[in-house]
Amino acid sequence: MNTNTELREKRKQMFSQMEQHLQEIHTKEEDRLFFYHSSEDRVILSHALFWTMTMPQYLKGKIRNEQFFILLRKYEEEMLDAYLQEDDYFSELLHYCNILYEMLPVVMMPSFIRTEKDARKLSAISIVAAGFGGDMDEKLADELLDDIDYKFNKVACRKIEQMMPTLRKMVENEMSGFRY
């Protein structure tokens, strides 16, 4: 077995265990985070929003060094790259991203969110990215998806970056509704 095949098999086992844990938490399918997204494209868009909104220039503090957060961002970038390349591995990577995204609140633990402002901000970002990605106007969603491309051989979402002032305001509004 080559190294790439071995890595994919290890990933599959690890994510299978995480998914089993999520199924214990969310016994009904409609409790799953992306259940109400109208299409796979909307799920991809939610990940692109989260990935962009959590870039180092937009998210500060200790939270950026949390391994689980770093892992989610890494998988999202790999998934977006596979999406652009129309790689056969894309759907599996998207599935892994969904699992990691849903595990985020479980891993970040409520006590950490109450005591760490950056963790609360990350929580608000995840809510905004999933909600806005799933609910935005169809024309805007298509425009943002079509804009995902490469810049200097790296995945880039320029139109989402241009929306950051609006997205930051949405995150602030979400955070103001949190009870501590």
Side-chain angles (χ1 to χ4, degrees):
M1 215 185 300
N2 70 30
T3 307
N4 200 21
T5 306
E6 290 173 7
L7 175 64
R8 287 185 179 188
E9 189 54 41
K10 283 182 182 180
R11 281 180 172 180
K12 191 177 281 189
Q13 291 171 5
M14 180 183 78
F15 282 101
S16 177
Q17 291 173 350
M18 276 195 265
E19 188 167 35
Q20 185 175 358
H21 181 72
L22 279 172
Q23 288 172 347
E24 292 168 7
I25 296 169
H26 305 295
T27 55
K28 293 184 269 178
E29 192 65 27
E30 55 270 11
D31 289 341
R32 301 297 296 264
L33 185 61
F34 299 113
F35 179 80
Y36 292 102
H37 279 55
S38 60
S39 67
E40 181 178 79
D41 283 345
R42 291 306 187 102
V43 177
I44 295 164
L45 184 54
S46 290
H47 285 292
L49 283 161
F50 181 85
W51 182 76
T52 303
M53 293 168 71
T54 58
M55 289 181 157
Q57 64 265 37
Y58 302 124
L59 184 67
K60 308 290 183 208
K62 294 185 286 187
I63 198 79
R64 287 190 350 209
N65 298 322
E66 291 293 323
Q67 291 301 311
F68 194 84
F69 169 71
I70 293 168
L71 185 66
L72 172 56
R73 283 191 40 79
K74 178 185 177 306
Y75 271 88
E76 285 177 326
E77 184 173 17
E78 190 176 343
M79 178 273 297
L80 291 169
D81 180 48
Y83 170 73
L84 291 171
Q85 298 289 329
E86 297 179 8
D87 188 317
D88 292 339
Y89 195 43
F90 159 74
S91 55
E92 199 166 331
L93 286 168
L94 179 60
H95 182 71
Y96 295 161
C97 287
N98 292 346
I99 292 169
L100 287 169
Y101 204 97
E102 286 194 79
M103 286 293 292
L104 194 60
V106 175
V107 172
M108 298 310 286
M109 303 219 204
S111 61
F112 186 61
I113 289 173
R114 277 195 298 273
T115 59
E116 180 66 45
K117 182 180 180 194
D118 297 319
R120 291 191 303 271
K121 184 174 183 179
L122 180 62
S123 179
I125 289 170
S126 67
I127 292 167
V128 168
F132 188 54
D135 294 338
M136 77 172 61
D137 173 72
E138 196 70 36
K139 185 178 176 190
L140 178 58
D142 290 342
E143 187 179 318
L144 294 177
L145 283 165
D146 289 344
D147 180 65
I148 299 172
D149 206 347
Y150 293 100
K151 181 178 179 181
F152 305 117
N153 294 326
K154 296 197 74 94
V155 173
C157 307
R158 287 185 272 312
K159 288 192 178 187
I160 295 174
E161 287 186 54
Q162 291 170 355
M163 294 177 64
M164 281 306 296
T166 302
L167 294 169
R168 273 197 291 269
K169 187 59 115 176
M170 292 170 76
V171 168
E172 288 171 17
N173 289 339
E174 188 64 39
M175 286 178 70
S176 70
F178 287 172
R179 285 187 252 157
Y180 306 108

